[in-house]
Amino acid sequence: MLKSLMMGLAGLGLSTMAVAASITEGEDYTVAPNQVELGSDDGKINVTEVFWYGCPHCYSLEDPLNAWVAELPDDVEFERMPATLGETWVKHAKAFYAAEQLEILDEVHEDFFDAIHQEGEQLTEPADIAAFFSDYGVSEEQALKALDGFGVKSQINRASATMRNLELMGVPALIVDGRYIVSPSTAGSLDNMPRIAEALVEQIRSEQESGAQ
């Protein structure tokens, strides 16, 4: 059993190295036209998912992405950024940031996706979003205040500026270290997006280790 486990772990390491060695700029990923600042600036390698709640491909990416995120090492941080490419997108982005401000995002995120894609809800009007949030321990009044608050508006503006700097016109996308963009078209499939991101993380980690020597 131990021998099999060791062989499996060794195989996983070789697999990761093989992916890292085989990725190609312009094919598996693209370089952002402008590097952007994302994350906590604490030396960790940042991976940011750019998504829209109304996007079926973003919804399909949730399972493979969450499985990957659950296994991330301590030197990698993951965050989400809602896209702001249209009026409905902005309304959903406000819901995301309001939920974050109200400290219910972890509970709401998956259910919000499910409500749109499984139950056919729109969840674009503030009253509907507030009613939805009220099932998570906040009042509708609190939710409405957060949705229209300065903090949410500031985060929307920042997300819009980030998208402009990245020249990002589609979702889902994984932004690695603020400079590499992985999309379904470059990765070849939704399931492959985390694998390409992992390879880029390995590449960046190697660069950091070489620079530190």
Side-chain angles (χ1 to χ4, degrees):
M1 177 68 73
L2 179 59
K3 181 178 179 181
S4 298
L5 177 60
M6 292 177 65
M7 291 178 63
L9 292 173
L12 179 61
L14 290 172
S15 176
T16 300
M17 292 173 62
V19 172
S22 65
I23 59 172
T24 303
E25 178 185 331
E27 295 181 9
D28 302 295
Y29 66 94
T30 57
V31 177
N34 304 289
Q35 185 168 355
V36 297
E37 295 295 329
L38 294 168
S40 58
D41 193 29
D42 59 359
K44 292 186 177 183
I45 301 170
N46 179 271
V47 179
T48 297
E49 179 202 15
V50 185
F51 76 100
W52 170 40
Y53 278 122
C55 166
H57 298 300
C58 299
Y59 184 56
S60 296
L61 178 61
E62 282 291 287
D63 284 346
L65 183 60
N66 288 338
W68 178 69
V69 169
E71 301 297 327
L72 286 178
D74 291 339
D75 66 336
V76 182
E77 64 176 5
F78 173 78
E79 64 181 354
R80 291 182 167 92
M81 187 185 82
T84 56
L85 294 175
E87 183 179 355
T88 301
W89 300 53
V90 170
K91 291 178 178 179
H92 284 162
K94 286 183 177 180
F96 175 89
Y97 286 125
E100 184 176 59
Q101 182 176 311
L102 293 165
E103 299 183 348
I104 59 173
L105 182 59
D106 289 345
E107 294 83 7
V108 164
H109 180 71
E110 184 176 342
D111 291 348
F112 203 88
F113 253 135
D114 287 342
I116 292 172
H117 295 279
Q118 297 294 330
E119 301 167 23
E121 297 188 36
Q122 298 297 314
L123 294 177
T124 55
E125 297 305 314
D128 294 333
I129 296 170
F132 188 89
F133 284 3
S134 68
D135 290 334
Y136 298 86
V138 300
S139 68
E140 293 188 27
E141 182 180 1
Q142 288 174 309
L144 288 170
K145 184 177 180 180
L147 285 165
D148 195 43
F150 175 77
V152 167
K153 291 176 182 177
S154 296
Q155 288 174 301
I156 293 290
N157 290 337
R158 181 185 177 191
S160 296
T162 298
M163 293 199 66
R164 286 194 298 270
N165 286 330
L166 293 172
E167 297 181 10
L168 196 60
M169 298 303 295
V171 292
L174 298 178
I175 313 302
V176 182
D177 199 38
R179 52 185 168 136
Y180 302 126
I181 302 173
V182 182
S183 67
S185 58
T186 59
S189 69
L190 293 171
D191 288 346
N192 205 39
M193 289 177 67
R195 293 180 64 247
I196 300 301
E198 172 69 19
L200 287 166
V201 166
E202 291 288 340
Q203 179 177 299
I204 294 163
R205 187 182 290 119
S206 296
E207 292 171 358
Q208 292 176 343
E209 291 172 352
S210 298
Q213 293 177 354

